[in-house]
Structure formats: structure tokens, C-alpha cells
Amino acid sequence: MEGESPEEYKAFAALHGAALSASGVPPLYWERLRHKLENEVGGRLAAQAEIVDEEVELDEAVVLLKAQPFSTNASCFVCVLTRGVFIFLIDHAWTYRVEHAHQQLLHVPGLLHRMANLMGIDFHGEVADEGAIEQVLQEMWKYNQTYQLSQGTAEEKVPVWYIMDEFGSRIQHSDEPTFATAPLFYIPQQIAYTVLWPLRDLETGEEVTRDYAYGETDRLIRKCMLLPWAPADVLDVNYSTPEPSEDHYQAILNKNNEKLPVAINPPVYDKNKIFKVYTDLPQILNNLKHPRFEFTEDEGEADILYNFSHFKDYRKLSEERPHVMLNQFPCENLLTVKDCLASISRRVGGTEGPKWLPRTFNLHTELPQFISYFQQRERRGEDNHWICKPWNLARSLDTHITNNLNIIIRHRESSPKVVSKYIESPVLFHREDVGMVKFDIRYVVLLRSVKPLKLYAYDVFWLRFSNRAFSLDDLDDYEKHFTVMNYASGVTLKQVHYDEFIPLFEKQYPEYSWKTVQAEIFKAFAELFQAASAKPAPFGICDYPSSRAVYAIDLMLKWDTTRDGKRTMQPQVLEVNFNPDCDRACKYHPTFFNDVFSTLFLDETNNCHVTYVV
């Protein structure tokens, strides 16, 4: 623009060009956008309780808001262009993370009132009302948009949701939209806006619309994505979910940039050899005391590489240093990434999956099948509580429980997710201070080799407990429905050691010996690893003779009934974790890493606290 240097535009493009290109914003609008952002010229529409046939000035454009019913909301509007078409900005009325939504509606002055007005919810009180809050929490998924920060901690990368201001929220859907929108995080101000730009030349009087399923061309997927605004049955879709094709696994390998090893002979070592260990894990540096292992800071002279980060170039390692052992297997992500875990498990239980894994759908590739299954269960009157989880995050981050189909559909837009049947009948544990609470169990397993399959379980297991009595309500109550308390500030962490837990458990459930329950757990572990290693890489874990690995398997127990009516405790595998945090293991069991290294790298299990699983 006049009087402004090309360097200013170049700097703007360097900072934001990649994001704008990824969102599809045409470069011809970038200079105008930069000018607006740097001069704080935007399409600001102040919050107003009632707007009927009112012209709103949006820099170069003028938009007429006309009252018109839409869907089930009687206070919706259409936006009609009256003159001028340029790119412009939309403010965000509310930006939040899902786990904080309820508290913000309860405590942020004016927020509940504004959201209720924006969504057409009848609320006129001054004091926050739980009924109105619950309505907003359900209705907001018709208005929610999302973005995710690309840098920062795992907590900071959890998707952010936002609701556009009154103008942006009134832009209606069309399969042939006149405009497109995309969030833009403006780095100099550390503020997010929504960018709105025209998709074609427009005439005065045309409605401002956007495609709520923008970019999706598959008709069935579009229908599914639009269900929150246009309810429909998808009951005719077969909800069977067979294992994905080999191309699916090949694509995962390519995306991970993992290079498979060449075939090597299993290395043979002198029986008294002292192994040099290169590691970046403080827990190992501080706790491995076994005389057959010594540390080195020279990666080039190491016999064992035990690193926190994922190894990628197995080919080079196998060609140049085949004798070097390491703490991970090629293609082990088939176990540790939740969508892959569900896929390979179907080798055991068919399209329904095995009994030890909750029914799981990949929301990216199996959305119609999930919706059909959900609607079938709804028609039969069956429980329909589900839990949405990111493919590749742990510690319950970005994990949400709901029985609202619209919420699950919209969560698909934030980050890759699976949705699993929420365990509505968990085996509970009685806490004297709380009552009957959920608990989960963590086992550490040691994978010595794939062919032959040699898997051990560490004899000590770890327990995590909820802090509030379980019931199928208050689904946003973290301390009722989740057990991971050691990363949350200001919450109680209940600790019970395994040797205390077993007699307490057997006292509470005298008909179920822990030995029998654990046998079922180990049977599930055996079937899981047999499935994971049943096919060659990249369709299964790679049989690389120099690989070893430690995983943590988190599981719960649920009540099930056999055909003859007997109640049983069925293990439910929740996730498999790579390189788990072993702080508690080292603290309470000082020989933990001695046992691990002896089992994995010396093939010696005498006097080690491990049990052979398969």
C-alpha cells in the first residue's frame, strides 16, 4: 500500500505466509491483511443483544444482518453484502480449552450472558445458572472453531476452541459458499483472529456464506460432518471396521520417515562382556548399577543406545553397526499410537475388535461407520458414552467424555483422534475417604525379541485412582472420570502400592483372586503382541534382532457377563506407552533398571522381578 515499504510486507509474509498458504488465503489479499493487522483495522462487531436489519460497517464492506430462523435456533441471521468486497478480520468472542469451559462460563463476568444471546438461549439473569451453562456447553459445538499451536509444551499444544463474534457466528452454511474463513494467529500481538475472504466476484445483495465442511469433497463424509446443523440418519452405513489395507501402513511408515533395517544375524557377545551404554535418560544414569554395564558419553563406541527420542534410520545402523543394540523396535508405533493399536488388534477380534480393547473408531477414516454404530446403539437404547482421545498424546491430555454425537463429530476437526466406547461399568475400588472410585493399572512390559516373540512383565504394577465416587454424570469432572493426578496441580494423588492393593482388592471382591485376574491380563498382553508381530514390517513390529524395548500398558477392568450368566472381570487395554516415566519404579524398587537391562540385554532373568508372558 502507498507509503509502506516492501520490507514490511516481506517480514509479514515470512512470519505468516506458511499459515496463510496452508489455509488457502490467496496471496493477492496478504498485503491488505497485513495493513489491517498492523493498523488494527478490522471488522469489529460489538456484542449486542438484538440485531435486526442493521447495517454493520466492516472497513471496506458493509454487511446487512437480517433476522432469519436457521436450524433449531430462532435467533439466527443471514449476512447480506451491501457494498464492497475485501478480506477482513473477525474478532473472537470466546477463546478457551474444553476442560476450562464450564468454569469460565460460571466465573467470567458477562460471558454466559453473551454466549446465551449469541446462541439464542433464553437467559436473562445476573447470576450464572447451571441450566443455562449446560445449554451453552451443548449448543456451542454448532459455533465452535478451532486451531492448535505448533510449538510449546504438550499442554500448550492442546487444541484451542473459539467462538467468533456476533457477525462471524451468524455466517450461515452453504454448499456453494461465497466466502471462506480460517483462523490466523497474529504473532506480533499474540492474538488470534478469523480471516474472511471472498471465493469469487460478488454482487451487491449476495449473502455472506461459508462451507461448514470446507475442503471435504466426499459426499458421505460431508453429510457426517454437517450432522450438527443438518441432523440425518446414517443407519444404512455398515459399521463394520476391518483392518486397514497394507497401503495404510505403508503410508504411516513414509510419514514417519522411518527407514527399515536390512536383515542381520543376531549379534553374539562374550558371556562376560561389559556393555557400554549411551543414554540421555537421567533415570537410567542415576539408577543403573549392574556391573555388566558402564556408561559412555561417546555414542560412537556404545554397545547399547538407550534414548528418549524416536530412532529413525535403522537401515544405516543395521548396515554400519549391526552389533549395536537399542531400546526401540522399527514400526513400534503400531502399538503406541492409538489408531494403529485399534487397527492391529482387529487381527484378534475381527471387525469388532478383541474383548480386551474397548470398541474403537478412527474418526479420520471411520467417521460414517462410527456414526452408524452410535445411531444403532441409540435406537436400541444402549449406553452411548464415548471417550475421544488424540492419536498420540498421553496423560489424558485433550481427552473428552461425552454422549453427544455432535461434540464427537466436531472434535474430529481439532487434531487426529480416535473415539472409544467409554467403560460404563468399570470395576471400582473402595476408598474409605471417598467411596467407590475408578482405578487403572499400569504394567511395565519388556519386549526382548519379536521372532521368537519373548515378552516379560515386571512383577510390580502401579495403580492410579480417581478422587471422586464414580457415576455416569458430570462428564467434565476430571477427578471423577480420570485417574492421572500426578501432573495436575492442586489435586490429591492417592497412592496404594501393589502389595497393599492385592489383599484390599481380594477383600472387596472375595470371589475374584488377583492371581486369576492377572492371568487374564497377561493373556490379553500375549494376544496384543502376537497380533502386533503377526505380519512383517511395516504391517507389524519389525523383527530386528538388535532391538529391545520397554513399554507401559495402561488398563482397566470392566464387568462383563458370560453366555451362562456369570459375572467376570474383563481387562480393557487403554494405551501402550513408549519410554514410560519410571520415576516411581526407581524410587520404590532400586533394582528396577538392573532387572530391565539384565532381562533385555543379557537374556538373564534369574533373580529379576519379571514374569515370562509369551
Side-chain angles (χ1 to χ4, degrees):
M1 301 185 73
E2 252 186 77
E4 297 179 4
S5 67
E7 285 71 25
E8 291 174 329
Y9 174 74
K10 287 180 181 178
F12 173 80
L15 272 179
H16 302 98
L20 292 170
S21 295
S23 298
V25 180
L28 68 94
Y29 292 124
W30 291 7
E31 174 57 18
R32 169 73 61 177
L33 178 62
R34 182 198 66 79
H35 173 75
K36 288 174 177 287
L37 288 163
E38 292 187 3
N39 294 279
E40 297 190 9
V41 178
R44 310 291 193 264
L45 177 61
Q48 300 175 49
E50 297 292 337
I51 305 175
V52 179
D53 291 352
E54 179 171 337
E55 283 197 334
V56 180
E57 196 82 35
L58 291 164
D59 195 11
E60 300 90 352
V62 175
V63 174
L64 181 68
L65 297 179
K66 295 179 68 67
Q68 176 172 307
F70 174 71
S71 185
T72 58
N73 186 343
S75 298
C76 284
F77 297 75
V78 296
C79 307
V80 179
L81 195 72
T82 61
R83 73 168 191 267
V85 178
F86 287 98
I87 191 168
F88 56 92
L89 302 173
I90 299 172
D91 282 328
H92 295 171
W94 182 25
T95 301
Y96 66 95
R97 287 193 166 93
V98 174
E99 61 270 23
H100 304 142
H102 186 279
Q103 288 300 308
Q104 289 181 9
L105 288 167
L106 188 63
H107 296 297
V108 175
L111 179 62
L112 177 59
H113 194 270
R114 184 177 184 183
M115 290 299 107
N117 282 340
L118 187 149
M119 298 174 192
I121 294 169
D122 187 23
F123 172 68
H124 304 289
E126 295 298 323
V127 180
D129 172 77
E130 282 293 341
I133 289 174
E134 186 56 35
Q135 279 186 277
V136 169
L137 291 173
Q138 298 298 315
E139 192 72 13
M140 69 187 186
W141 294 96
K142 295 179 181 176
Y143 298 86
N144 269 338
Q145 313 299 316
T146 187
Y147 62 87
Q148 191 173 10
L149 300 179
S150 59
Q151 297 179 338
T153 64
E155 288 83 358
E156 290 168 339
K157 291 180 181 177
V158 169
V160 174
W161 291 89
Y162 66 93
I163 291 177
M164 292 184 283
D165 66 16
E166 284 73 4
F167 166 65
S169 292
R170 290 184 170 101
I171 300 174
Q172 302 297 293
H173 166 74
S174 172
D175 290 332
E176 297 180 354
T178 53
F179 282 79
T181 60
L184 175 67
F185 190 78
Y186 185 48
I187 295 171
Q189 293 180 358
Q190 296 288 293
I191 296 176
Y193 299 97
T194 289
V195 181
L196 177 73
W197 71 95
L199 295 174
R200 57 177 173 81
D201 293 336
L202 297 170
E203 300 292 333
T204 297
E206 286 199 67
E207 183 182 349
V208 179
T209 59
R210 65 184 183 90
D211 184 354
Y212 290 2
Y214 188 68
E216 181 57 64
T217 57
D218 183 279
R219 291 182 64 183
L220 178 58
I221 301 297
R222 284 185 60 82
K223 178 181 178 180
C224 292
M225 291 177 66
L226 293 171
L227 283 182
W229 304 277
D233 285 341
V234 192
L235 296 167
D236 57 332
V237 173
N238 184 348
Y239 58 71
S240 172
T241 49
E243 184 183 354
S245 68
E246 292 186 349
D247 289 343
H248 175 80
Y249 294 109
Q250 187 65 53
I252 292 172
L253 179 73
N254 296 340
K255 184 178 179 181
N256 288 341
N257 296 317
E258 203 169 82
K259 296 180 180 178
L260 296 178
V262 300
I264 65 169
N265 293 318
V268 178
Y269 302 98
D270 183 86
K271 65 178 182 178
N272 296 315
K273 178 179 173 61
I274 307 295
F275 291 90
K276 294 183 182 296
V277 179
Y278 178 85
T279 183
D280 57 0
L281 288 168
Q283 288 176 348
I284 294 177
L285 291 168
N286 296 331
N287 292 283
L288 179 60
K289 310 294 184 184
H290 196 291
R292 292 279 303 279
F293 302 97
E294 64 182 22
F295 297 113
T296 177
E297 295 182 358
D298 182 358
E299 186 175 352
E301 71 170 14
D303 302 303
I304 298 171
L305 302 177
Y306 204 113
N307 293 324
F308 178 76
S309 57
H310 290 282
F311 196 81
K312 297 293 184 182
D313 198 348
Y314 291 93
R315 182 182 304 161
K316 181 178 180 182
L317 185 69
S318 64
E319 290 174 341
E320 298 180 1
R321 304 173 67 195
H323 65 285
V324 173
M325 295 181 282
L326 70 166
N327 68 317
Q328 42 200 290
F329 280 82
C331 300
E332 66 185 0
N333 59 295
L334 298 181
L335 277 171
T336 61
V337 180
K338 296 180 186 71
D339 64 308
C340 297
L341 173 64
S343 296
I344 62 167
S345 296
R346 292 169 190 165
R347 297 170 188 174
V348 179
T351 59
E352 294 284 320
K355 292 184 68 174
W356 42 258
L357 190 76
R359 187 74 160 96
T360 299
F361 295 84
N362 182 335
L363 284 180
H364 180 66
T365 60
E366 297 167 347
L367 180 64
Q369 293 92 327
F370 164 69
I371 294 174
S372 176
Y373 188 70
F374 184 100
Q375 292 180 339
Q376 297 276 8
R377 292 182 65 89
E378 189 173 53
R379 175 173 283 190
R380 294 193 296 264
E382 297 174 351
D383 180 81
N384 241 347
H385 287 84
W386 294 79
I387 182 165
C388 287
K389 308 176 186 179
W391 287 357
N392 206 15
L393 279 179
R395 295 165 32 196
S396 302
L397 292 173
D398 194 24
T399 300
H400 311 281
I401 303 160
T402 184
N403 58 359
N404 184 321
L405 180 59
N406 292 346
I407 294 177
I408 298 171
I409 293 170
R410 296 303 311 281
H411 267 301
R412 179 181 185 267
E413 298 173 31
S414 61
S415 63
K417 284 186 171 64
V418 298
V419 60
S420 298
K421 182 66 188 69
Y422 187 57
I423 300 171
E424 74 272 17
S425 54
V427 175
L428 303 175
F429 182 83
H430 183 260
R431 283 179 55 175
E432 290 185 1
D433 55 334
V434 177
M436 300 298 285
V437 300
K438 285 178 61 174
F439 70 97
D440 68 15
I441 312 162
R442 167 166 286 195
Y443 278 88
V444 171
V445 298
L446 316 177
L447 182 58
R448 167 60 181 80
S449 62
V450 168
K451 293 194 182 303
L453 181 58
K454 292 178 73 173
L455 181 72
Y456 298 86
Y458 195 67
D459 288 339
V460 176
F461 55 87
W462 288 268
L463 299 136
R464 299 181 297 196
F465 301 89
S466 296
N467 285 338
R468 297 196 178 110
F470 175 77
S471 57
L472 268 178
D473 54 14
D474 301 324
L475 301 179
D476 60 350
D477 186 340
Y478 185 89
E479 293 189 67
K480 175 184 285 192
H481 292 281
F482 292 89
T483 60
V484 183
M485 302 298 166
N486 45 323
Y487 298 99
S489 60
V491 300
T492 303
L493 174 62
K494 173 72 172 178
Q495 295 202 56
V496 177
H497 294 293
Y498 81 106
D499 51 355
E500 302 172 78
F501 169 81
I502 293 173
L504 289 172
F505 177 88
E506 292 182 334
K507 183 178 180 180
Q508 293 180 24
Y509 299 104
E511 296 179 17
Y512 302 87
S513 73
W514 184 254
K515 183 178 180 181
T516 303
V517 173
Q518 185 167 262
E520 287 299 310
I521 292 171
F522 286 178
K523 179 183 175 184
F525 292 172
E527 290 184 359
L528 171 58
F529 279 84
Q530 285 164 349
S533 59
K535 297 182 180 181
F539 321 118
I541 297 179
C542 181
D543 170 26
Y544 184 50
S546 291
S547 284
R548 316 283 190 270
V550 177
Y551 306 106
I553 303 180
D554 295 336
L555 63 98
M556 289 176 59
L557 300 171
K558 80 166 186 178
W559 291 110
D560 205 352
T561 305
T562 62
R563 290 182 178 179
D564 58 3
K566 182 182 178 183
R567 277 186 107 201
T568 61
M569 292 183 180
Q570 174 62 52
Q572 296 287 278
V573 172
L574 305 179
E575 62 184 31
V576 180
N577 295 285
F578 163 77
N579 253 351
D581 180 359
C582 296
D583 183 62
R584 282 203 291 173
C586 296
K587 181 178 179 179
Y588 295 106
H589 308 279
T591 66
F592 175 76
F593 274 116
N594 288 351
D595 294 343
V596 168
F597 271 68
S598 179
T599 301
L600 292 181
F601 300 109
L602 303 181
D603 227 0
E604 295 177 2
T605 58
N606 291 337
N607 301 316
C608 293
H609 302 87
V610 297
T611 296
Y612 188 61
V613 175
V614 61

